[in-house]
Amino acid sequence: MSKEAIAKEAVASTGSGKTIFGRRDPDARGYFGAYGGRFVPETLVAPIEELTAGYFAARQDKGFCDELDGLLKHYVGRPTPLYETRNLAGPERINAGVRIFLKREDLTHTGAHKINNAMGQAMLAKRMGKRRVVAETGAGQHGVASATACALLGLECRVYMGTEDMRRQALNVVRMQLLGATVHGVDAGSRTLKDAINEAMRDWVANVTDTYYLLGSALGPHPYPLMVREFQSVIGREARRQILDQAGRLPDVVVACVGGGSNAIGIFDGFIDDPSVRLIGVEAGGEKIAPGRHAARFAGGSTGVLQGTRTFVLQDEAGNIELTHSISAGLDYAAVGPEHAWLRDLGRTEYAHISDAEALEGFKDLARLEGILPALESSHAIAYTEQLAPTLKPGSIVLVNLSGRGDKDVQSVIEAMK
């Protein structure tokens, strides 16, 4: 689909008169085309309206934006480096002419892209007069980032985490506690991210007066998908400047793993206006594409509503949410961000899936060839890139978002390798 065709369809689908290029705000109801919106209990309508007004005021406030930029630079460690791999794309392995660059989000303070959004939302919470923050986490990195931002800004922090995720991400549980957060284990359902979000939202409903819900991915009711995208778009802005500086041109392909989709939408944002750049999200193929054995929404899902937003969801014919599975706790979720669903419908983005076994090989390859331990989430993007590169023309450039570091996953890798 051409740039002009995408833009025309985007205007028609939103009714907003805006194309998908540039800022790409959803319409007044919070929809990206047919996806998004607000599906919340009546008790949350007023708090979400308050949040929306607070966010739109903050993002137009130069003082707020300057303070956030300062913290990202001097505290978080931005800009993160763009590193061209020396061995991963070696001629004896993949394709002699393909160049692979890694956007090193694993080198941020706390070790993942999650801190970009957590810092912005924690600042917003304080600006709105909220003293208590609740958050959910799967792999633990958003929980650590939220606890970190709250410690810095003097906010109380409670993090909800499925007990299965607590087991496989024990290190991050300790990190959150050391940072002063209270970690609340969730035993309901599959005891993973979906269940943690449910409990965090229940807490918010019960304590709306003084509590801010710091959602970690580009999910949930409007304005969260927009807000998270905007806070993570710093990845794409930096990556665009860096690839032009280091390679002299734009990449041919941008690859990122997709759970809820915040790291992917963050880096895609820098290239959305460049139709020559393929944007590919990589989901969790798990053990196989069968109900309860994976988390590849675009491979086995359909349109539905989950936790406040209309998007692509893994569900059965009766609309019941299916169980999910992934070796990666951060990709183990039944829905994907609504903007991803919209961009896929428009033909602007593509989505693939990688199995647990393939992701594990990607993890080992990057560790042994480049001396980098990637998060298991990011390992899906690495594994897909290894499969994609042989199909590309010599001289092609692939930019991979290395969304996080893998020390949190060492125990899971040990168990899987046994």
Side-chain angles (χ1 to χ4, degrees):
M1 183 180 291
S2 70
K3 174 178 175 178
E4 291 74 20
I6 293 174
K8 182 177 180 181
E9 185 170 344
V11 171
S13 66
T14 62
S16 66
K18 296 181 180 179
T19 70
I20 65 170
F21 309 110
R23 186 168 283 277
R24 304 188 333 277
D25 282 4
D27 68 18
R29 301 175 303 143
Y31 277 86
F32 297 94
Y35 306 100
R38 290 174 175 168
F39 296 83
V40 296
E42 186 175 351
T43 50
L44 281 182
V45 172
I48 287 179
E49 289 289 355
E50 178 191 17
L51 171 62
T52 304
Y55 169 64
F56 278 96
R59 79 169 183 173
Q60 297 175 46
D61 183 336
K62 185 176 184 301
F64 178 89
C65 296
D66 287 348
E67 182 182 355
L68 176 57
D69 287 346
L71 286 172
L72 291 178
K73 179 178 180 180
H74 300 294
Y75 184 76
V76 172
R78 306 209 68 90
T80 56
L82 189 69
Y83 165 69
E84 182 172 7
T85 62
R86 297 188 176 194
N87 305 310
L88 188 67
E92 72 285 355
R93 296 196 68 255
I94 295 179
N95 184 331
V98 173
R99 302 174 69 184
I100 298 175
F101 290 81
L102 305 180
K103 180 57 172 164
R104 298 291 307 275
E105 292 301 291
D106 59 311
L107 295 180
T108 61
H109 178 46
T110 73
H113 71 290
K114 293 294 187 181
I115 189 66
N116 306 322
N117 169 61
M119 189 62 69
Q121 286 201 56
M123 283 178 55
L124 179 60
K126 190 167 184 177
R127 175 189 170 99
M128 293 174 62
K130 308 297 184 180
R131 305 305 306 170
R132 181 175 180 269
V133 167
V134 295
E136 84 298 326
T137 196
Q141 287 300 119
H142 174 60
V144 170
S146 298
T148 298
C150 288
L152 179 68
L153 299 176
L155 301 171
E156 178 187 346
C157 183
R158 169 168 287 206
V159 179
Y160 289 88
M161 189 174 189
T163 52
E164 170 60 18
D165 288 340
M166 291 179 72
R167 181 192 66 79
R168 53 184 176 172
Q169 298 292 334
L171 173 62
N172 275 342
V173 174
V174 175
R175 292 173 73 195
M176 286 182 270
Q177 292 169 336
L178 291 172
L179 289 161
T182 300
V183 183
H184 182 80
V186 179
D187 277 318
S190 59
R191 299 172 294 157
T192 56
L193 181 58
K194 173 178 67 69
D195 313 292
I197 293 176
N198 284 338
E199 290 303 316
M201 293 190 79
R202 288 190 183 101
D203 188 320
W204 190 25
V205 169
N207 301 282
V208 293
T209 303
D210 68 343
T211 297
Y212 181 97
Y213 178 26
L214 206 167
L215 183 59
S217 196
L219 295 163
H222 176 66
Y224 282 108
L226 168 65
M227 181 165 58
V228 175
R229 195 274 311 282
E230 289 290 276
F231 286 137
Q232 293 293 3
S233 64
V234 64
I235 304 171
R237 290 196 301 274
E238 289 178 5
R240 183 186 179 84
R241 291 193 298 268
Q242 290 168 325
I243 198 71
L244 288 171
D245 179 58
Q246 295 181 36
R249 68 177 181 88
L250 294 175
D252 297 284
V253 188
V254 176
V255 180
C257 65
V258 177
S262 65
N263 93 89
I265 206 68
I267 196 165
F268 289 176
D269 192 69
F271 303 92
I272 201 76
D273 198 22
D274 302 290
S276 65
V277 181
R278 293 173 64 189
L279 306 176
I280 304 177
V282 185
E283 299 185 286
E287 296 168 346
K288 64 178 181 177
I289 304 302
R293 309 288 291 279
H294 71 100
R297 288 64 50 100
F298 292 123
S302 57
T303 303
V305 174
L306 180 62
Q307 294 175 327
T309 195
R310 186 175 191 267
T311 185
F312 247 67
V313 181
L314 291 172
Q315 57 189 343
D316 63 21
E317 293 181 356
N320 299 307
I321 303 303
E322 293 178 346
L323 295 177
T324 56
H325 164 78
S326 173
I327 192 174
S328 162
L331 303 185
D332 195 357
Y333 184 63
V336 67
E339 190 171 5
H340 283 288
W342 179 53
L343 291 171
R344 176 179 177 268
D345 276 6
L346 294 176
R348 183 62 190 95
T349 53
E350 309 166 42
Y351 297 86
H353 55 83
I354 284 292
S355 71
D356 287 351
E358 291 167 329
L360 189 61
E361 289 305 308
F363 179 98
K364 292 190 290 186
D365 284 347
L366 197 65
R368 293 170 181 175
L369 293 169
E370 299 290 344
I372 299 170
L373 291 178
L376 281 172
E377 292 81 7
S378 312
S379 300
H380 287 70
I382 295 296
Y384 178 78
T385 299
E386 291 182 295
Q387 296 178 11
L388 175 70
T391 71
L392 301 176
K393 296 178 181 179
S396 296
I397 296 174
V398 182
L399 169 60
V400 183
N401 198 22
L402 198 68
S403 59
R405 69 188 187 210
D407 44 347
K408 69 181 179 62
D409 292 316
V410 168
Q411 189 58 46
S412 294
V413 170
I414 291 171
E415 293 175 7
M417 289 176 67
K418 288 179 181 178

